[in-house]
């Protein structure tokens, strides 16, 4: 099984979410036989999760949903925070520790450890982002996504060889049950990453926003 994760970040409005699902539906339903070995996970902004879920279910799409953030607290007086248990009513996955949150929202290794603790106590699976082989990885994450900062949104992905080496290291140390690569993944390079046995999938930002570009990634990945 290979995992294709779409991280929409803070993009789209409800109209665009509707259009995206409408389009991806055409590609996915016409190619259902190609998708058997892929787990497609879409992570919209939180407010569009109910809409995404409604459309996913109505169109019977083989898509799982994910959130982009989770509270480090269990529940209670934490204005603005959404807990892992609340998320579990809407999503199967959550991205934790993306470098943009570390950079712009001051998320620290200690805070991320607390977030993972909460996720572990819920039905939701974690996709934990690391920036390099030295980023601390909390115990019990479900997937590690290696995303070197210089590769994010730059059109300059890391090499599959580097990604493979980090996957090997983390898997040997039993820190990553599943290993994803992220950073400038496009339809023309997705296969070079996921053809490696140790790379279980990709985390896609910019190229997941356009349904045709995202379908290109899925379609090429399905050749695995
Ligand atoms: P990108 O982003 O695909 O636009 O490089 C990846 C990410 O930040 O998850």
């Amino acid at each position: 099984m290979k995992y294709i994760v779409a991280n929409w970040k803070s993009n789209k409005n409800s109209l665009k979410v509707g259009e995206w699902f409408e389009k991806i539906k055409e590609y996915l339903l016409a190619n259902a036989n190609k998708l058997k070995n892929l787990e497609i996970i879409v992570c919209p902004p939180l407010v569009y999760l109910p809409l995404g879920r409604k459309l996913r279910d109505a169109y019977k799409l083989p898509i799982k949903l994910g959130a982009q953030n989770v509270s480090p607290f269990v529940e209670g007086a934490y204005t603005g925070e959404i807990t892992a248990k609340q998320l579990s009513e809407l999503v199967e996955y959550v991205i934790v520790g993306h470098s943009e949150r570390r950079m712009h929202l001051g998320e620290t290794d200690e805070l991320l450890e607390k977030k993972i603790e909460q996720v572990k106590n819920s039905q939701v699976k974690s996709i934990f982002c690391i920036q390099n082989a030295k980023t601390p990885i909390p115990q019990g994450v479900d997937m590690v996504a290696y995303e070197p900062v210089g590769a994010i949104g730059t059109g300059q992905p890391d090499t599959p060889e580097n990604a493979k080496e980090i996957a090997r290291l983390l898997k040997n140390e039993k820190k990553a049950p599943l290993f994803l690569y992220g950073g400038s993944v496009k339809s023309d390079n997705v296969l070079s990453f996921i053809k490696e046995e140790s790379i279980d999938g990709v985390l896609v930002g910019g190229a997941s926003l356009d349904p045709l570009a995202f379908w290109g990634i899925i379609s090429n990945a399905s050749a695995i």
Side-chain angles (χ1 to χ4, degrees), residues 146 148 150-151 156-163 166 181-184 189 192-193:
Y146 161 57
Q156 288 170 347
D158 200 354
T159 61
E161 290 70 33
N162 268 345
I166 300 206
Y181 167 75
S184 297
N189 61 22
S192 67
F193 290 101

Side-chain angles (χ1 to χ4, degrees), residues 7 9 98 100 147 151-154 182-185 203-207:
N7 175 12
K9 310 187 180 181
H98 194 283
E100 288 155 7
E147 297 205 308
I152 295 179
T154 58
S184 297
V185 172
L203 180 48
V204 187

